[in-house]
Amino acid sequence: MTRSGLRDIKREATAQALAEAAFDLARARGLDGFVIDDVAERAGYSRRTFANHYSCKEAAIAWVAYSGIEAAGDALEDVSGDVPLLDAILAVLQLQLTTETLSRMREVIRLSREFPSLEPYVHHVQHRMRLEAEQRLRTVAADRYPTTYVSLLFGALYGMVSSALEGLVDVRLPGDTSSSNGSMEFDQFLEVAFQHLRTGF
């Protein structure tokens, strides 16, 4: 691996550690219960290092929701081109959208509702996630599918996952005790949603 490659990996690891620290502090103390110095100290870095990665603690917290997207994109690109696109996406979502990833995304959304100053940063990260994920999907689809099909499929998928994370449909994550008895497990929700995608609404 090149020196620049190692530098990028180290930079990403530092950014992730700072984001994790900010997220943990926000959950424990609320957004008003800590400052940037607390984040840097918890992660084992300086305030200057924090400033090299994030403009504020809100930006760091929001970034936690982004973790895992890169791995999902890599996994999708590794799926054989012989597999139908919809089947490939379902397999990757089931594999990559782990309980931890989903729980963090849902918790970041909850925090943004409780603390309005966080909301624009969450929207920014969601927008970046959407653009990157759609571009990855276009790369995987290549010339096998029309551009319109890929765009519409991605829009449906993004809306579907967002509705579960934002609580618009009653989906229970493993270990979630706050949902009602009538809620669906996330894997069951994926199966139902993809069945609609295959057969129509």
Side-chain angles (χ1 to χ4, degrees):
M1 183 174 290
T2 65
R3 182 175 297 179
S4 61
L6 289 172
R7 187 164 51 244
D8 289 342
I9 291 173
K10 183 178 179 181
R11 179 176 176 79
E12 289 172 9
T14 301
Q16 187 63 32
L18 289 164
E20 299 262 2
F23 177 65
D24 290 343
L25 286 167
R27 294 178 69 191
R29 304 182 189 176
L31 202 61
D32 302 325
F34 66 99
V35 294
I36 289 175
D37 286 336
D38 296 323
V39 178
E41 181 180 350
R42 186 182 184 98
Y45 295 101
S46 67
R47 182 185 178 95
R48 180 177 179 180
T49 298
F50 181 95
N52 288 336
H53 292 274
Y54 301 107
S55 61
C56 59
K57 60 186 179 181
E58 288 87 350
I61 295 166
W63 193 253
V64 166
Y66 190 82
S67 62
I69 295 300
E70 188 73 21
D74 291 342
L76 185 59
E77 290 183 6
D78 289 340
V79 174
S80 169
D82 296 333
V83 177
L85 187 59
L86 203 55
D87 293 339
I89 294 169
L90 176 57
V92 168
L93 289 179
Q94 289 173 327
L95 181 66
Q96 296 294 333
L97 289 185
T98 63
T99 300
E100 181 181 10
T101 300
L102 292 166
S103 296
R104 286 181 173 201
M105 288 181 174
R106 184 176 275 183
E107 182 67 9
V108 167
I109 291 171
R110 185 197 67 75
L111 285 168
S112 72
R113 290 173 176 163
E114 185 176 352
F115 302 100
S117 64
L118 178 58
E119 194 169 15
Y121 296 92
V122 172
H123 286 318
H124 172 74
V125 168
Q126 287 174 331
H127 179 66
R128 181 170 177 172
M129 287 167 59
R130 176 169 184 157
L131 291 177
E132 181 172 326
E134 184 167 2
Q135 184 55 49
R136 287 292 193 103
L137 187 58
R138 289 182 185 280
T139 299
V140 172
D143 298 328
R144 295 186 296 144
Y145 298 88
T147 301
T148 302
Y149 172 83
V150 176
S151 293
L152 292 174
L153 175 60
F154 180 82
L157 290 166
Y158 186 86
M160 173 190 78
V161 174
S162 295
S163 68
L165 293 176
E166 294 174 12
L168 299 177
V169 293
D170 193 3
V171 176
R172 183 175 64 254
L173 303 179
D176 183 3
T177 58
S178 62
S179 300
S180 66
N181 290 332
S183 61
M184 287 187 289
E185 295 284 354
F186 188 76
D187 283 345
Q188 180 186 5
F189 169 72
L190 283 181
E191 293 289 350
V192 169
F194 271 74
Q195 185 61 29
H196 282 302
L197 289 174
R198 295 181 201 281
T199 60
F201 290 85

